Amino acid sequence: MRSDTVKKGIERVPNRGLLYATGISKSDMKKPFIGIASSFTDIIPGHVGMRELERFIERGVCSGGGVPFIFGIPGICDGIAMGHKGMRYSLPLREIVADTIESVAGAHCFDGLVLLTNCDKITPGCLIAAARLNIPTVVVTAGPMLCGRYKGTIRLDLVHDTFEAVGRAKAGKISGEELDELEMEACPGFGSCQGLYTANTMSCITETMGMSLTGCATALAVSARKKRIAKESGERVVEMVRKNILPRSVMTKNALLNAIKVDMALGGSSNTVLHLTRIAKELDIDLPLEVFNKVSRSTPHIINLRPSGEYFLEDLEYAGGIPAILNVLKDGLKPSPTVNGRRGILEVARKGRVLNSAVIHNRSNPYHKEGGIAILFGSLAPEGAVVKQIAVSSKMWKFTGRARVFDGEEKAMKAVMGRKIKKGDVVIIRYEGDKGAPGMPETLSVTAVLTGMGMGESVALITDGRFSGGTQGPCIGHVAPEAAVGGPIAVVRNGDRINIDIKNRKLDLVLSEKEIRARLAKWKAPAPKVKTGYLAKYAKLI
């Protein structure tokens, strides 16, 4: 066992002395040491229920014959961080999570890990750590929250009924009293936000990749089922230690391709492109952006979840969960193992059942013929840009508009709230990329207000930053190269024509190559926005 490094031999007397100080017994020294990395915090709704799940994971580890050790990893709530400078820390947190798990597990020579996570950047950070450490690991995602209720019957979610409600209130469509009620009722308790936003998308992808037990992604945060999965995960990781089942044998290229396929079928968050390519890099797997387009073209969108659809994660749970989605897609899936043991992903797919065909459609009757995400290329995005195409009205799939340029989200938000954005505008928000912001913040506040004000079919938004999984409308993010490193988005001027063609995967600045090169030749890199602290270090290293 790896833990023998700290507990066997005469030279380890001091190490054992410290371990005994924690309360373990001599018989425990013969058992596998299992780290439980918990992202519990009181400030993230998706994490406040984790104290109880920690207990059930501990029970499972002990039941399986291991010794559990809980340690903490940090978390940020993207919703609370949204719309201000705090959002700069969200994506960089992913690397802190991975580094923290690596540091604690590496220093203490754990034999295996259970990673208790739930939200946007924490789950991919856990997967990166699992790939890096390559010791037996099971991921437990803590589950989605229930939908809110308004006037007893109207179902609510965070994005549509708070972020977009701001725009509806600004446009005079709802009263201030209604807005107050919505903010109180939209999120009725703990769990990850109710739609297919980034947190829940990453949970679904984690289960598809085989890194969570079957059913984990959609089991509701408040359910007894979630507790049972937590206990079973603790038991399972001890067995994995004994059989030396490692993350790199589970997270194969086939697993990544299956994850992309399920993501497309679900219509998941555009942030999954950032996370899956990062996980692939940690695994030394080549995963070019063109793969996302190829899979999207051949994968139907079969469930219509919020923000672009009408259903909630609880509806997916009761309709059969990820196994039901896999069953519909089974002919296009690739063989891949899972942490379930003998049950590979193809067996999970065969046993999956669609329990509500009104929620989960079949391949011959999809909501959309193509998957949720498209990658655009062109003179404005030579290295690619990402759009959640199923959330874009068909009227806006092909659109040419005039650029309204803002160097930062706050300036754009001020213009939107001041009603200075008009029909036919293409809002350009730049210097919000990984280096430029730094940290590539989400711009959900701007997109949600535009949608709430009724501009989702007349105004587009393009940024070198990114969007929340809750974004809908003609919003194109991740434009690369970003402005801070001299990408073409840096030289767009007010009034320039921008051409969007989602069907043909094109995003162009309607200027000659000569004019673009001339502008870039005169461009000078701006001074860093942040010069000290973690964000400054992140901007240099990313």
Side-chain angles (χ1 to χ4, degrees):
M1 291 188 293
R2 293 172 180 81
S3 59
D4 288 348
T5 303
V6 298
K7 64 188 184 186
K8 279 194 172 182
I10 190 170
E11 70 277 13
R12 294 297 175 230
V13 167
N15 308 65
R16 289 194 294 273
L18 290 167
L19 286 166
Y20 287 133
T22 69
I24 67 173
S25 65
K26 281 198 170 184
S27 61
D28 287 335
M29 286 290 189
K30 301 175 183 178
K31 301 174 182 177
F33 280 10
I34 306 298
I36 301 172
S38 172
S39 55
F40 166 78
T41 172
D42 284 326
I43 199 168
I44 305 178
H47 296 234
V48 297
M50 286 184 175
R51 289 276 93 132
E52 197 167 15
L53 292 179
E54 291 171 4
R55 302 284 82 80
F56 278 86
I57 294 169
E58 281 184 313
R59 288 186 195 181
V61 171
C62 293
S63 173
V67 183
F69 297 92
I70 294 177
F71 64 95
I73 52 176
I76 287 174
C77 177
D78 279 28
I80 297 172
M82 195 73 66
H84 56 87
K85 292 179 180 179
M87 178 45 71
R88 293 175 176 175
Y89 287 95
S90 174
L91 184 59
L93 177 79
R94 183 183 67 182
E95 308 308 316
I96 296 177
V97 169
D99 292 349
T100 300
I101 295 169
E102 177 198 352
S103 299
V104 176
H108 298 103
C109 301
F110 289 136
D111 297 299
L113 289 168
V114 179
L115 307 179
L116 179 57
T117 173
N118 211 25
C119 283
D120 298 49
K121 312 309 169 296
I122 306 162
T123 299
C126 287
L127 292 169
I128 292 166
R132 187 181 300 167
L133 288 162
N134 201 35
I135 62 175
T137 300
V138 178
V139 177
V140 178
T141 50
M145 73 169 68
L146 294 167
C147 68
R149 295 279 176 171
Y150 180 55
K151 296 182 178 178
T153 58
I154 301 171
R155 299 204 294 172
L156 308 177
D157 76 279
L158 173 72
V159 173
H160 182 266
D161 299 298
T162 60
F163 281 100
E164 291 179 13
V166 172
R168 295 198 295 277
K170 186 69 177 177
K173 297 177 182 179
I174 60 174
S175 67
E177 183 179 346
E178 287 177 290
L179 192 62
D180 287 344
E181 288 187 56
L182 289 173
E183 80 174 52
M184 288 299 299
E185 302 299 332
C187 299
F190 65 87
S192 49
C193 301
Q194 308 99 322
L196 198 66
Y197 315 134
T198 307
N200 288 324
T201 305
M202 287 307 305
S203 296
C204 293
I205 281 177
T206 301
E207 183 178 329
T208 301
M209 291 176 67
M211 288 299 292
S212 291
L213 295 185
T214 298
C216 185
T218 59
L220 297 171
V222 298
S223 68
R225 185 183 185 212
K226 179 62 73 179
K227 297 182 180 110
R228 287 192 290 272
I229 289 171
K231 179 177 182 292
E232 290 164 6
S233 297
E235 291 175 333
R236 179 61 191 149
V237 77
V238 180
E239 185 178 353
M240 289 171 63
V241 168
R242 293 188 174 120
K243 295 181 177 179
N244 200 33
I245 298 172
L246 306 177
R248 284 176 176 256
S249 68
V250 175
M251 288 191 286
T252 61
K253 186 163 187 177
N254 279 355
L256 289 169
L257 294 173
N258 289 337
I260 295 172
K261 181 170 281 291
V262 167
D263 188 17
M264 295 300 176
L266 291 168
S269 166
S270 59
N271 284 311
T272 56
V273 178
L274 287 172
H275 298 321
L276 285 173
T277 51
R278 176 67 180 86
I279 293 164
K281 183 177 181 180
E282 198 70 45
L283 291 164
D284 300 315
I285 293 172
D286 184 38
L287 194 68
L289 286 177
E290 289 82 359
V291 170
F292 290 84
N293 273 340
K294 182 179 179 181
V295 176
S296 183
R297 296 283 197 194
S298 62
T299 306
H301 174 223
I302 59 173
I303 181 168
N304 217 18
L305 298 167
R306 297 275 182 112
S308 56
E310 58 185 305
Y311 294 111
F312 297 74
L313 255 292
E314 62 194 74
D315 298 315
L316 174 56
E317 163 72 350
Y318 297 132
I322 294 303
I325 299 292
L326 293 170
N327 182 264
V328 176
L329 302 175
K330 61 181 180 294
D331 292 339
L333 296 173
K334 298 181 180 296
S336 185
T338 74
V339 295
N340 289 293
R342 294 181 181 177
R343 295 174 62 199
I345 203 69
L346 296 184
E347 184 179 351
V348 174
R350 283 193 295 270
K351 292 184 176 181
R353 293 291 179 268
V354 176
L355 304 179
N356 187 340
S357 59
V359 175
I360 302 175
H361 287 194
N362 57 40
R363 291 183 66 94
S364 61
N365 180 36
Y367 289 93
H368 299 92
K369 291 182 179 180
E370 292 187 3
I373 293 170
I375 310 297
L376 311 184
F377 295 92
S379 59
L380 187 58
E383 295 176 8
V386 181
V387 62
K388 191 170 183 176
Q389 62 177 352
I390 61 164
V392 181
S393 164
S394 59
K395 297 177 182 178
M396 295 294 289
W397 269 48
K398 191 165 187 176
F399 178 73
T400 299
R402 57 188 173 271
R404 290 292 311 280
V405 183
F406 301 93
D407 290 347
E409 180 189 6
E410 293 177 6
K411 294 177 181 178
M413 188 65 168
K414 185 176 180 179
V416 171
M417 295 298 283
R419 296 179 176 272
K420 294 180 180 179
I421 303 302
K422 307 297 181 185
K423 180 179 179 180
D425 284 348
V426 177
V427 178
I428 303 285
I429 302 178
R430 64 190 180 192
Y431 295 106
E432 294 288 11
D434 256 338
K435 290 182 179 292
M440 206 178 188
E442 295 176 348
T443 56
L444 174 62
S445 296
V446 177
T447 63
V449 171
L450 283 170
T451 299
M453 293 174 74
M455 294 186 183
E457 295 187 354
S458 61
V459 172
L461 193 151
I462 298 172
T463 181
D464 56 1
R466 60 193 177 90
F467 298 114
S468 161
T471 294
Q472 59 175 316
C475 303
I476 301 167
H478 311 194
V479 170
E482 64 173 285
V485 298
I489 193 172
V491 296
V492 179
R493 297 173 182 170
N494 284 324
D496 284 345
R497 290 171 62 228
I498 306 294
N499 185 55
I500 300 167
D501 186 349
I502 293 175
K503 181 179 179 180
N504 293 306
R505 308 299 198 246
K506 296 291 291 180
L507 179 62
D508 289 308
L509 172 58
V510 187
L511 293 174
S512 68
E513 290 185 21
K514 182 179 179 180
E515 174 63 18
I516 294 173
R517 285 198 302 268
R519 290 188 186 184
L520 287 171
K522 296 177 182 178
W523 174 83
K524 293 183 180 180
K529 292 180 184 176
V530 179
K531 298 179 181 179
T532 60
Y534 174 59
L535 290 179
K537 180 168 65 175
Y538 177 85
K540 290 179 181 178
L541 294 175
I542 194 62

mmCIF file of all heavy atoms in Angstrom, residues 258-294:
data_model
loop_
_atom_site.group_PDB
_atom_site.id
_atom_site.type_symbol
_atom_site.label_atom_id
_atom_site.label_comp_id
_atom_site.label_asym_id
_atom_site.label_seq_id
_atom_site.Cartn_x
_atom_site.Cartn_y
_atom_site.Cartn_z
ATOM 1 N N ASN A 258 -17.223 9.994 -24.857
ATOM 2 C CA ASN A 258 -18.567 9.725 -24.341
ATOM 3 C C ASN A 258 -19.105 10.913 -23.568
ATOM 4 O O ASN A 258 -20.299 11.252 -23.660
ATOM 5 C CB ASN A 258 -18.549 8.489 -23.447
ATOM 6 C CG ASN A 258 -18.348 7.195 -24.205
ATOM 7 O OD1 ASN A 258 -18.639 7.118 -25.405
ATOM 8 N ND2 ASN A 258 -17.858 6.168 -23.526
ATOM 9 N N ALA A 259 -18.231 11.562 -22.783
ATOM 10 C CA ALA A 259 -18.644 12.735 -22.011
ATOM 11 C C ALA A 259 -19.102 13.859 -22.932
ATOM 12 O O ALA A 259 -20.109 14.527 -22.675
ATOM 13 C CB ALA A 259 -17.499 13.211 -21.124
ATOM 14 N N ILE A 260 -18.373 14.083 -24.019
ATOM 15 C CA ILE A 260 -18.762 15.124 -24.975
ATOM 16 C C ILE A 260 -20.109 14.772 -25.601
ATOM 17 O O ILE A 260 -20.990 15.635 -25.752
ATOM 18 C CB ILE A 260 -17.683 15.301 -26.063
ATOM 19 C CG1 ILE A 260 -16.388 15.821 -25.451
ATOM 20 C CG2 ILE A 260 -18.167 16.259 -27.151
ATOM 21 C CD1 ILE A 260 -15.203 15.837 -26.404
ATOM 22 N N LYS A 261 -20.301 13.502 -25.959
ATOM 23 C CA LYS A 261 -21.565 13.081 -26.576
ATOM 24 C C LYS A 261 -22.746 13.321 -25.631
ATOM 25 O O LYS A 261 -23.790 13.861 -26.032
ATOM 26 C CB LYS A 261 -21.491 11.605 -26.988
ATOM 27 C CG LYS A 261 -22.758 11.093 -27.667
ATOM 28 C CD LYS A 261 -22.569 9.727 -28.263
ATOM 29 C CE LYS A 261 -21.845 9.810 -29.591
ATOM 30 N NZ LYS A 261 -22.652 10.444 -30.667
ATOM 31 N N VAL A 262 -22.599 12.923 -24.375
ATOM 32 C CA VAL A 262 -23.677 13.135 -23.405
ATOM 33 C C VAL A 262 -23.896 14.625 -23.173
ATOM 34 O O VAL A 262 -25.046 15.093 -23.068
ATOM 35 C CB VAL A 262 -23.372 12.395 -22.090
ATOM 36 C CG1 VAL A 262 -24.312 12.849 -20.969
ATOM 37 C CG2 VAL A 262 -23.500 10.888 -22.301
ATOM 38 N N ASP A 263 -22.822 15.386 -23.111
ATOM 39 C CA ASP A 263 -22.936 16.836 -22.962
ATOM 40 C C ASP A 263 -23.759 17.425 -24.105
ATOM 41 O O ASP A 263 -24.637 18.269 -23.900
ATOM 42 C CB ASP A 263 -21.533 17.444 -22.935
ATOM 43 C CG ASP A 263 -21.519 18.922 -22.586
ATOM 44 O OD1 ASP A 263 -22.526 19.420 -22.062
ATOM 45 O OD2 ASP A 263 -20.495 19.574 -22.842
ATOM 46 N N MET A 264 -23.495 16.991 -25.325
ATOM 47 C CA MET A 264 -24.230 17.486 -26.487
ATOM 48 C C MET A 264 -25.699 17.083 -26.422
ATOM 49 O O MET A 264 -26.592 17.867 -26.757
ATOM 50 C CB MET A 264 -23.607 16.965 -27.776
ATOM 51 C CG MET A 264 -22.191 17.466 -28.038
ATOM 52 S SD MET A 264 -22.115 19.274 -28.158
ATOM 53 C CE MET A 264 -20.345 19.505 -28.347
ATOM 54 N N ALA A 265 -25.964 15.858 -25.993
ATOM 55 C CA ALA A 265 -27.345 15.380 -25.902
ATOM 56 C C ALA A 265 -28.131 16.115 -24.822
ATOM 57 O O ALA A 265 -29.330 16.355 -24.958
ATOM 58 C CB ALA A 265 -27.353 13.878 -25.625
ATOM 59 N N LEU A 266 -27.441 16.464 -23.748
ATOM 60 C CA LEU A 266 -28.077 17.194 -22.656
ATOM 61 C C LEU A 266 -28.264 18.673 -22.985
ATOM 62 O O LEU A 266 -29.181 19.319 -22.482
ATOM 63 C CB LEU A 266 -27.231 17.089 -21.393
ATOM 64 C CG LEU A 266 -27.136 15.720 -20.712
ATOM 65 C CD1 LEU A 266 -26.036 15.739 -19.661
ATOM 66 C CD2 LEU A 266 -28.460 15.333 -20.081
ATOM 67 N N GLY A 267 -27.366 19.224 -23.819
ATOM 68 C CA GLY A 267 -27.366 20.668 -24.039
ATOM 69 C C GLY A 267 -26.720 21.395 -22.884
ATOM 70 O O GLY A 267 -27.230 22.393 -22.382
ATOM 71 N N GLY A 268 -25.557 20.891 -22.457
ATOM 72 C CA GLY A 268 -24.916 21.382 -21.243
ATOM 73 C C GLY A 268 -24.177 22.696 -21.398
ATOM 74 O O GLY A 268 -24.191 23.338 -22.443
ATOM 75 N N SER A 269 -23.495 23.055 -20.345
ATOM 76 C CA SER A 269 -22.809 24.340 -20.239
ATOM 77 C C SER A 269 -21.652 24.452 -21.226
ATOM 78 O O SER A 269 -20.905 23.492 -21.448
ATOM 79 C CB SER A 269 -22.279 24.512 -18.818
ATOM 80 O OG SER A 269 -21.338 25.564 -18.735
ATOM 81 N N SER A 270 -21.474 25.658 -21.772
ATOM 82 C CA SER A 270 -20.325 25.906 -22.653
ATOM 83 C C SER A 270 -19.000 25.783 -21.911
ATOM 84 O O SER A 270 -17.948 25.545 -22.518
ATOM 85 C CB SER A 270 -20.440 27.298 -23.291
ATOM 86 O OG SER A 270 -20.498 28.309 -22.304
ATOM 87 N N ASN A 271 -19.028 25.908 -20.586
ATOM 88 C CA ASN A 271 -17.792 25.792 -19.803
ATOM 89 C C ASN A 271 -17.177 24.398 -19.859
ATOM 90 O O ASN A 271 -15.998 24.216 -19.552
ATOM 91 C CB ASN A 271 -18.060 26.158 -18.335
ATOM 92 C CG ASN A 271 -18.189 27.643 -18.128
ATOM 93 O OD1 ASN A 271 -17.361 28.422 -18.585
ATOM 94 N ND2 ASN A 271 -19.245 28.057 -17.464
ATOM 95 N N THR A 272 -17.970 23.406 -20.258
ATOM 96 C CA THR A 272 -17.416 22.057 -20.332
ATOM 97 C C THR A 272 -16.288 21.967 -21.355
ATOM 98 O O THR A 272 -15.411 21.104 -21.228
ATOM 99 C CB THR A 272 -18.509 21.039 -20.692
ATOM 100 O OG1 THR A 272 -19.141 21.433 -21.910
ATOM 101 C CG2 THR A 272 -19.543 20.951 -19.590
ATOM 102 N N VAL A 273 -16.289 22.838 -22.351
ATOM 103 C CA VAL A 273 -15.193 22.836 -23.326
ATOM 104 C C VAL A 273 -13.881 23.179 -22.625
ATOM 105 O O VAL A 273 -12.848 22.529 -22.826
ATOM 106 C CB VAL A 273 -15.475 23.816 -24.478
ATOM 107 C CG1 VAL A 273 -14.309 23.853 -25.462
ATOM 108 C CG2 VAL A 273 -16.764 23.444 -25.204
ATOM 109 N N LEU A 274 -13.918 24.200 -21.766
ATOM 110 C CA LEU A 274 -12.727 24.572 -20.991
ATOM 111 C C LEU A 274 -12.264 23.427 -20.088
ATOM 112 O O LEU A 274 -11.070 23.149 -19.974
ATOM 113 C CB LEU A 274 -13.031 25.785 -20.108
ATOM 114 C CG LEU A 274 -13.168 27.157 -20.746
ATOM 115 C CD1 LEU A 274 -13.665 28.144 -19.717
ATOM 116 C CD2 LEU A 274 -11.825 27.613 -21.294
ATOM 117 N N HIS A 275 -13.225 22.778 -19.456
ATOM 118 C CA HIS A 275 -12.866 21.776 -18.454
ATOM 119 C C HIS A 275 -12.414 20.464 -19.082
ATOM 120 O O HIS A 275 -11.430 19.867 -18.640
ATOM 121 C CB HIS A 275 -14.038 21.552 -17.503
ATOM 122 C CG HIS A 275 -14.432 22.771 -16.735
ATOM 123 N ND1 HIS A 275 -13.511 23.659 -16.239
ATOM 124 C CD2 HIS A 275 -15.652 23.263 -16.387
ATOM 125 C CE1 HIS A 275 -14.137 24.646 -15.613
ATOM 126 N NE2 HIS A 275 -15.435 24.426 -15.687
ATOM 127 N N LEU A 276 -13.121 20.000 -20.096
ATOM 128 C CA LEU A 276 -12.742 18.735 -20.714
ATOM 129 C C LEU A 276 -11.384 18.826 -21.410
ATOM 130 O O LEU A 276 -10.584 17.883 -21.344
ATOM 131 C CB LEU A 276 -13.815 18.273 -21.692
ATOM 132 C CG LEU A 276 -15.079 17.694 -21.047
ATOM 133 C CD1 LEU A 276 -16.151 17.432 -22.090
ATOM 134 C CD2 LEU A 276 -14.772 16.416 -20.273
ATOM 135 N N THR A 277 -11.113 19.953 -22.063
ATOM 136 C CA THR A 277 -9.798 20.099 -22.703
ATOM 137 C C THR A 277 -8.691 20.184 -21.646
ATOM 138 O O THR A 277 -7.583 19.675 -21.852
ATOM 139 C CB THR A 277 -9.751 21.334 -23.617
ATOM 140 O OG1 THR A 277 -10.213 22.493 -22.903
ATOM 141 C CG2 THR A 277 -10.638 21.137 -24.837
ATOM 142 N N ARG A 278 -8.984 20.797 -20.508
ATOM 143 C CA ARG A 278 -7.989 20.875 -19.421
ATOM 144 C C ARG A 278 -7.740 19.507 -18.803
ATOM 145 O O ARG A 278 -6.592 19.131 -18.519
ATOM 146 C CB ARG A 278 -8.479 21.867 -18.354
ATOM 147 C CG ARG A 278 -7.588 21.979 -17.120
ATOM 148 C CD ARG A 278 -6.240 22.592 -17.462
ATOM 149 N NE ARG A 278 -5.396 22.687 -16.282
ATOM 150 C CZ ARG A 278 -4.619 21.706 -15.835
ATOM 151 N NH1 ARG A 278 -4.573 20.546 -16.497
ATOM 152 N NH2 ARG A 278 -3.887 21.861 -14.755
ATOM 153 N N ILE A 279 -8.807 18.740 -18.579
ATOM 154 C CA ILE A 279 -8.662 17.384 -18.037
ATOM 155 C C ILE A 279 -7.879 16.522 -19.019
ATOM 156 O O ILE A 279 -6.990 15.751 -18.629
ATOM 157 C CB ILE A 279 -10.048 16.776 -17.736
ATOM 158 C CG1 ILE A 279 -10.719 17.548 -16.579
ATOM 159 C CG2 ILE A 279 -9.930 15.294 -17.384
ATOM 160 C CD1 ILE A 279 -12.205 17.297 -16.467
ATOM 161 N N ALA A 280 -8.205 16.656 -20.312
ATOM 162 C CA ALA A 280 -7.492 15.890 -21.342
ATOM 163 C C ALA A 280 -6.003 16.212 -21.326
ATOM 164 O O ALA A 280 -5.152 15.315 -21.469
ATOM 165 C CB ALA A 280 -8.085 16.177 -22.717
ATOM 166 N N LYS A 281 -5.674 17.481 -21.143
ATOM 167 C CA LYS A 281 -4.261 17.879 -21.093
ATOM 168 C C LYS A 281 -3.561 17.203 -19.920
ATOM 169 O O LYS A 281 -2.424 16.719 -20.054
ATOM 170 C CB LYS A 281 -4.155 19.401 -20.979
ATOM 171 C CG LYS A 281 -2.727 19.916 -20.988
ATOM 172 C CD LYS A 281 -2.687 21.436 -20.955
ATOM 173 C CE LYS A 281 -1.249 21.942 -20.981
ATOM 174 N NZ LYS A 281 -1.175 23.423 -20.951
ATOM 175 N N GLU A 282 -4.235 17.147 -18.772
ATOM 176 C CA GLU A 282 -3.643 16.498 -17.600
ATOM 177 C C GLU A 282 -3.442 15.004 -17.844
ATOM 178 O O GLU A 282 -2.508 14.393 -17.307
ATOM 179 C CB GLU A 282 -4.546 16.713 -16.376
ATOM 180 C CG GLU A 282 -3.879 16.474 -15.053
ATOM 181 C CD GLU A 282 -2.846 17.541 -14.701
ATOM 182 O OE1 GLU A 282 -3.118 18.742 -14.877
ATOM 183 O OE2 GLU A 282 -1.748 17.145 -14.234
ATOM 184 N N LEU A 283 -4.304 14.423 -18.681
ATOM 185 C CA LEU A 283 -4.221 12.994 -18.999
ATOM 186 C C LEU A 283 -3.298 12.703 -20.176
ATOM 187 O O LEU A 283 -3.155 11.545 -20.576
ATOM 188 C CB LEU A 283 -5.625 12.464 -19.325
ATOM 189 C CG LEU A 283 -6.626 12.392 -18.159
ATOM 190 C CD1 LEU A 283 -8.044 12.237 -18.694
ATOM 191 C CD2 LEU A 283 -6.276 11.252 -17.219
ATOM 192 N N ASP A 284 -2.721 13.753 -20.766
ATOM 193 C CA ASP A 284 -1.872 13.615 -21.957
ATOM 194 C C ASP A 284 -2.647 13.026 -23.140
ATOM 195 O O ASP A 284 -2.129 12.218 -23.917
ATOM 196 C CB ASP A 284 -0.641 12.747 -21.665
ATOM 197 C CG ASP A 284 0.234 13.342 -20.567
ATOM 198 O OD1 ASP A 284 0.482 14.556 -20.613
ATOM 199 O OD2 ASP A 284 0.636 12.598 -19.659
ATOM 200 N N ILE A 285 -3.920 13.448 -23.249
ATOM 201 C CA ILE A 285 -4.784 13.007 -24.344
ATOM 202 C C ILE A 285 -5.038 14.188 -25.268
ATOM 203 O O ILE A 285 -5.403 15.280 -24.816
ATOM 204 C CB ILE A 285 -6.119 12.453 -23.810
ATOM 205 C CG1 ILE A 285 -5.890 11.159 -23.027
ATOM 206 C CG2 ILE A 285 -7.111 12.211 -24.952
ATOM 207 C CD1 ILE A 285 -7.114 10.651 -22.302
ATOM 208 N N ASP A 286 -4.865 13.988 -26.542
ATOM 209 C CA ASP A 286 -5.115 15.036 -27.528
ATOM 210 C C ASP A 286 -6.620 15.179 -27.733
ATOM 211 O O ASP A 286 -7.301 14.211 -28.096
ATOM 212 C CB ASP A 286 -4.425 14.691 -28.847
ATOM 213 C CG ASP A 286 -4.575 15.800 -29.889
ATOM 214 O OD1 ASP A 286 -4.523 16.983 -29.505
ATOM 215 O OD2 ASP A 286 -4.747 15.467 -31.082
ATOM 216 N N LEU A 287 -7.156 16.379 -27.510
ATOM 217 C CA LEU A 287 -8.596 16.621 -27.655
ATOM 218 C C LEU A 287 -8.809 17.979 -28.322
ATOM 219 O O LEU A 287 -9.156 18.968 -27.677
ATOM 220 C CB LEU A 287 -9.293 16.588 -26.282
ATOM 221 C CG LEU A 287 -10.817 16.495 -26.306
ATOM 222 C CD1 LEU A 287 -11.275 15.142 -26.846
ATOM 223 C CD2 LEU A 287 -11.388 16.724 -24.911
ATOM 224 N N PRO A 288 -8.599 18.062 -29.636
ATOM 225 C CA PRO A 288 -8.751 19.342 -30.342
ATOM 226 C C PRO A 288 -10.202 19.810 -30.363
ATOM 227 O O PRO A 288 -11.145 19.012 -30.255
ATOM 228 C CB PRO A 288 -8.252 19.024 -31.758
ATOM 229 C CG PRO A 288 -8.416 17.552 -31.903
ATOM 230 C CD PRO A 288 -8.212 16.968 -30.538
ATOM 231 N N LEU A 289 -10.381 21.120 -30.509
ATOM 232 C CA LEU A 289 -11.722 21.694 -30.496
ATOM 233 C C LEU A 289 -12.609 21.144 -31.606
ATOM 234 O O LEU A 289 -13.829 21.061 -31.451
ATOM 235 C CB LEU A 289 -11.634 23.220 -30.636
ATOM 236 C CG LEU A 289 -11.153 23.989 -29.405
ATOM 237 C CD1 LEU A 289 -11.061 25.470 -29.722
ATOM 238 C CD2 LEU A 289 -12.064 23.759 -28.217
ATOM 239 N N GLU A 290 -12.021 20.758 -32.711
ATOM 240 C CA GLU A 290 -12.814 20.231 -33.828
ATOM 241 C C GLU A 290 -13.602 18.995 -33.418
ATOM 242 O O GLU A 290 -14.653 18.704 -34.008
ATOM 243 C CB GLU A 290 -11.897 19.899 -35.012
ATOM 244 C CG GLU A 290 -11.319 21.112 -35.729
ATOM 245 C CD GLU A 290 -10.093 21.692 -35.039
ATOM 246 O OE1 GLU A 290 -9.697 21.156 -33.967
ATOM 247 O OE2 GLU A 290 -9.522 22.671 -35.558
ATOM 248 N N VAL A 291 -13.124 18.266 -32.414
ATOM 249 C CA VAL A 291 -13.842 17.078 -31.954
ATOM 250 C C VAL A 291 -15.236 17.453 -31.437
ATOM 251 O O VAL A 291 -16.212 16.725 -31.669
ATOM 252 C CB VAL A 291 -13.034 16.353 -30.853
ATOM 253 C CG1 VAL A 291 -13.868 15.263 -30.190
ATOM 254 C CG2 VAL A 291 -11.763 15.766 -31.430
ATOM 255 N N PHE A 292 -15.333 18.589 -30.762
ATOM 256 C CA PHE A 292 -16.629 19.013 -30.224
ATOM 257 C C PHE A 292 -17.629 19.252 -31.357
ATOM 258 O O PHE A 292 -18.799 18.876 -31.253
ATOM 259 C CB PHE A 292 -16.465 20.272 -29.373
ATOM 260 C CG PHE A 292 -15.745 20.027 -28.071
ATOM 261 C CD1 PHE A 292 -14.360 20.013 -28.010
ATOM 262 C CD2 PHE A 292 -16.457 19.800 -26.908
ATOM 263 C CE1 PHE A 292 -13.690 19.777 -26.819
ATOM 264 C CE2 PHE A 292 -15.805 19.561 -25.712
ATOM 265 C CZ PHE A 292 -14.419 19.551 -25.667
ATOM 266 N N ASN A 293 -17.178 19.882 -32.441
ATOM 267 C CA ASN A 293 -18.068 20.092 -33.586
ATOM 268 C C ASN A 293 -18.471 18.770 -34.224
ATOM 269 O O ASN A 293 -19.630 18.577 -34.599
ATOM 270 C CB ASN A 293 -17.389 20.981 -34.638
ATOM 271 C CG ASN A 293 -17.611 22.453 -34.366
ATOM 272 O OD1 ASN A 293 -18.533 22.840 -33.645
ATOM 273 N ND2 ASN A 293 -16.763 23.294 -34.929
ATOM 274 N N LYS A 294 -17.526 17.858 -34.368
ATOM 275 C CA LYS A 294 -17.814 16.570 -34.980
ATOM 276 C C LYS A 294 -18.862 15.810 -34.178
ATOM 277 O O LYS A 294 -19.830 15.260 -34.738
ATOM 278 C CB LYS A 294 -16.526 15.744 -35.103
ATOM 279 C CG LYS A 294 -16.726 14.404 -35.780
ATOM 280 C CD LYS A 294 -15.405 13.649 -35.895
ATOM 281 C CE LYS A 294 -15.611 12.288 -36.564
ATOM 282 N NZ LYS A 294 -14.327 11.527 -36.661
#
